[in-house]
Amino acid sequence: MIDRLAAFLLDQGQCDARGIERARRVAEDSGQRLDVVLIQLGLLTETDLAAAFSKLLGISVATASRYPEVPLFPERLTARFLRQARALPLALMEGTLTLAAADPLDDFLAASVAAATGCAVRMEVAVPIELDAALDRLYPDKPSEADTAESASDEPLEEDTERLKDLASEAPVIRMVNQIISRAVETRASDIHLEPFLDRLRVRYRYDGVLHEVESPSASLIAAVTSRIKIMARLDIAERRLPQDGRIKLAVRGTEIDFRVSTIPSQYGETVVLRVLDRSTVAFDYGRLGLAPAVITRLNAALDLPNGIVLVTGPTGSGKTTTLYTGLLALNSITRKIVTVEDPIEYQLNGINQIQVKPQIGLNFASLLRSILRQDPDVIMVGEIRDLETAQIAVQAALTGHLVLSTVHTNSAAATITRLRDMGLEDYLMTAVLRGVLAQRLVRRLCEHCRREVDAPAELVRRFDLDKRAGAGPVRLWQPVGCEKCRNTGFRGRQAIAEFLQPDAAIERLIYARANHTEIEREAVAQGMVNMFEAGLDAALAGTTTIEEVVRSIRTEA
């Protein structure tokens, strides 16, 4: 069967011959089965392995929704036996017990369960992370006295630290954490949220900006799981009263992936968030990001200038850094020296000098920017302009012949000008160096495999003047449906909708007159700028997103 599995994986393109041969050598040396080694080497995901067993054996994959609410045969099948066997009864119908097992090749398991229960056994293959979560929910471990003492005392003791290390080093905990991380990567989650509560450790993944909950481990595993992640991120496991930040680098399916780790103390333990930084899933291309051709043309024109400041603005998580990285990669060449100052460095860019801010030792944006100017760069990227000092140094760099890229947190391109003014930047300096402001948001893309075209409701057509935008004929929109490829959400991936403000003589006059952002935006639209909301309506009419997504993302009313 293992040879058939290897041949099947090769035929399906899930593993290459070189990877299979490497796994065979490791399996021979370690005495382990080939499928186990493939998982350990990151050459195959547990979900893919379960699907492969399903097709080869002609059995179903047990979905998370099918695990029971209460244990079946608890007096005959003990928690210890089920954990060791990595199996769980799902349902009993007409004398046949359906059993989900992580290893469907274990014939002894089916015979043992049949003997213990007196029922015929029908096997299904389980995805290990879902199986372990169900076992933890149905058979929670009782908290030990040490766990109680830990929650009662805020002062970590040396022996308590050693106990946490021991807990975090146990095989089930290591396997659980690895499965949580691997599942996030293989399902393309952007973040992993681990949140401790009185009765459980809630695990949630963020897909396309929206959180989704998965099966949660029991509360007794909070300390062990948190400690394991902190050890992987090289954080202090004895410090549970202060926030900490770290990074993890892991090979998942043969690809190096970085995770940015943040911990903060909460009522029942430490809340942990891991940001998944997988460059293979990030598109550093304006077209694939979803920017409109007119916006791309204006942005490239601003980036081609020898000096000045180009700003990208939007709330946290709106894709500002990805847009800046795309611009930097386009500018990157042998003839240009590019230096970035970031907090934190999200992706490593080949050929670009990237510097991490460290405020605890006085290494902030302003101080680093001063030092960088003495390095004779051509292009400088500042992670964020947060204060007047950083803004003034950025202006000085632009005035002395450098191209400066940065971000500001505002709601629109025009509001960036009033934000810089509020910081204390003089109007004459702003007009002298500002070459363009890109404001953007991210909206979820409709899944192309299941989206459905419908006639636009008359109320929407009237409210947003869609008939004027769509041209002749009835107005048609697309709606989400849901399928396997989009996790039944109707959406798959995200795209940017943006507006680009390019200061001209009329806008400069408004800046000198200290006009508010509404007047500046009105003039920019008169000069040809398409604002974000209109760009979102165009995307909805093109069938890539929905009007509800546009309104949710921009939070505006027509």
Side-chain angles (χ1 to χ4, degrees):
M1 176 54 70
I2 295 300
D3 289 337
R4 286 178 57 199
L5 173 66
F8 177 81
L9 295 175
L10 283 171
D11 184 60
Q12 296 294 310
Q14 292 177 307
C15 288
D16 56 23
R18 185 177 177 182
I20 292 288
E21 184 56 34
R22 175 188 169 199
R24 285 190 191 278
R25 290 196 300 269
V26 175
E28 290 174 2
D29 293 340
S30 63
Q32 294 177 297
R33 251 175 36 192
L34 179 66
D35 55 325
V36 175
V37 174
L38 287 170
I39 296 292
Q40 291 176 343
L41 293 178
L43 299 175
L44 187 68
T45 68
E46 291 178 331
T47 302
D48 288 341
L49 178 62
F53 275 137
S54 171
K55 292 181 179 179
L56 284 173
L57 300 173
I59 59 178
S60 302
V61 176
T63 58
S65 61
R66 297 193 56 233
Y67 288 104
E69 293 297 323
V70 295
L72 299 178
F73 298 102
E75 68 287 348
R76 301 185 190 179
L77 301 174
T78 65
R80 181 178 180 182
F81 168 76
L82 293 175
R83 287 185 185 278
Q84 288 179 342
R86 302 199 71 195
L88 188 67
L90 297 181
L92 178 64
M93 291 186 64
E94 299 178 354
T96 299
L97 181 65
T98 303
L99 184 70
D103 181 8
L105 301 182
D106 187 354
D107 295 330
F108 177 74
L109 170 62
S112 300
V113 172
T117 60
C119 301
V121 173
R122 185 173 68 88
M123 297 290 287
E124 290 193 6
V125 59
V127 178
I129 187 173
E130 296 173 352
L131 174 65
D132 290 340
L135 283 169
D136 290 333
R137 173 171 57 81
L138 295 171
Y139 302 96
D141 295 330
K142 294 182 179 179
S144 65
E145 294 180 5
D147 290 326
T148 307
E150 177 190 333
S151 61
S153 173
D154 289 330
E155 194 67 34
L157 303 175
E158 185 175 347
E159 56 269 24
D160 187 34
T161 303
E162 292 303 316
R163 185 183 65 82
L164 285 175
K165 287 181 180 178
D166 291 341
L167 280 173
S169 300
E170 292 179 357
V173 174
I174 294 174
R175 186 170 60 245
M176 177 180 292
V177 171
N178 289 344
Q179 288 169 349
I180 290 172
I181 291 174
S182 297
R183 186 181 183 187
V185 174
E186 68 186 61
T187 58
R188 298 197 171 188
S190 62
D191 302 87
I192 307 169
H193 291 249
L194 304 172
E195 301 157 319
F197 291 95
L198 182 63
D199 59 340
R200 61 186 170 133
L201 174 64
R202 183 165 71 174
V203 181
R204 295 193 288 177
Y205 296 147
R206 189 181 294 280
Y207 298 108
D208 303 329
V210 179
L211 286 169
H212 296 262
E213 186 170 353
V214 296
E215 285 276 5
S216 301
S218 67
S220 62
L221 292 171
I222 290 174
V225 171
T226 302
S227 297
R228 174 61 188 166
I229 293 173
K230 291 173 74 173
I231 289 172
M232 295 170 70
R234 301 178 186 273
L235 300 178
D236 183 1
I237 65 171
E239 180 55 78
R240 301 193 293 276
R241 301 164 299 174
L242 297 174
Q244 296 187 68
D245 295 297
R247 294 181 82 95
I248 299 172
K249 179 173 284 190
L250 289 176
V252 180
R253 297 199 72 179
T255 303
E256 287 286 339
I257 297 175
D258 285 337
F259 299 85
R260 201 169 75 212
V261 182
S262 171
T263 71
I264 59 172
S266 64
Q267 184 178 5
Y268 297 107
E270 290 175 283
T271 297
V272 182
V273 176
L274 294 86
R275 168 68 60 88
V276 183
L277 302 175
D278 182 3
R279 182 168 178 173
S280 66
T281 64
V282 178
F284 293 115
D285 177 84
Y286 292 133
R288 290 179 63 188
L289 290 175
L291 295 180
V295 171
I296 296 174
T297 300
R298 288 189 169 197
L299 177 58
N300 283 333
L303 294 177
D304 284 339
L305 297 173
N307 57 62
I309 295 179
V310 178
L311 298 175
V312 180
T313 183
T316 300
S318 59
K320 299 187 298 296
T321 302
T322 303
T323 299
L324 283 179
Y325 279 174
T326 304
L328 286 177
L329 289 172
L331 292 170
N332 191 20
S333 68
I334 296 296
T335 59
R336 286 193 184 97
K337 176 165 183 173
I338 302 176
V339 182
T340 73
V341 184
E342 304 176 58
D343 184 23
I345 297 173
E346 293 200 9
Y347 296 98
Q348 296 176 1
L349 306 177
N350 187 35
I352 294 175
N353 304 280
Q354 296 173 269
I355 304 171
Q356 170 71 53
V357 168
K358 296 180 180 177
Q360 62 270 28
I361 60 172
L363 211 60
N364 54 34
F365 284 120
S367 62
L368 277 170
L369 201 46
R370 286 195 193 90
S371 301
I372 286 171
L373 291 176
R374 294 192 285 271
Q375 292 270 315
D376 189 29
D378 297 291
V379 180
I380 303 169
M381 188 193 95
V382 185
E384 183 183 348
I385 294 179
R386 299 174 179 173
D387 50 45
L388 177 59
E389 184 181 15
T390 305
Q392 287 175 331
I393 301 171
V395 168
Q396 178 188 346
L399 289 172
T400 53
H402 303 85
L403 179 64
V404 180
L405 282 61
S406 190
T407 69
V408 182
H409 282 104
T410 59
N411 290 325
S412 67
T416 303
I417 293 172
T418 55
R419 176 76 180 102
L420 293 173
R421 181 187 296 154
D422 291 341
M423 285 184 190
L425 193 65
E426 297 291 342
D427 293 334
Y428 73 92
L429 291 175
M430 214 183 306
T431 57
V433 299
L434 194 59
R435 301 291 182 257
V437 182
L438 178 78
Q440 70 178 52
R441 297 288 190 281
L442 292 178
V443 295
R444 291 185 292 173
R445 290 182 189 266
L446 283 167
C447 175
E448 295 183 358
H449 294 88
C450 65
R451 62 178 181 169
R452 181 179 68 237
E453 192 175 17
V454 297
D455 288 327
E459 174 61 23
L460 277 182
V461 174
R462 181 194 62 78
R463 184 178 180 186
F464 298 120
D465 293 328
L466 297 181
D467 51 343
K468 297 178 182 177
R469 310 186 70 86
V475 179
R476 305 280 287 175
L477 294 173
W478 295 81
Q479 293 296 326
V481 177
C483 65
E484 290 183 358
K485 294 184 180 296
C486 61
R487 299 177 303 278
N488 293 311
T489 63
F491 297 94
R492 191 179 186 192
R494 289 190 290 176
Q495 72 174 77
I497 53 175
E499 62 188 22
F500 189 83
L501 186 151
Q502 196 168 11
D504 58 10
I507 290 177
E508 287 180 2
R509 285 195 295 271
L510 289 174
I511 294 174
Y512 281 123
R514 304 189 70 79
N516 61 34
H517 70 276
T518 303
E519 296 173 277
I520 294 172
E521 181 172 313
R522 189 180 300 119
E523 179 60 34
V525 170
Q527 298 298 327
M529 182 184 84
V530 177
N531 66 37
M532 269 190 296
F533 191 72
E534 291 176 343
L537 293 180
D538 290 338
L541 289 170
T544 60
T545 189
T546 66
I547 289 181
E548 291 81 5
E549 265 297 295
V550 174
V551 173
R552 181 189 68 84
S553 177
I554 301 179
R555 300 187 185 280
T556 187
E557 294 291 335

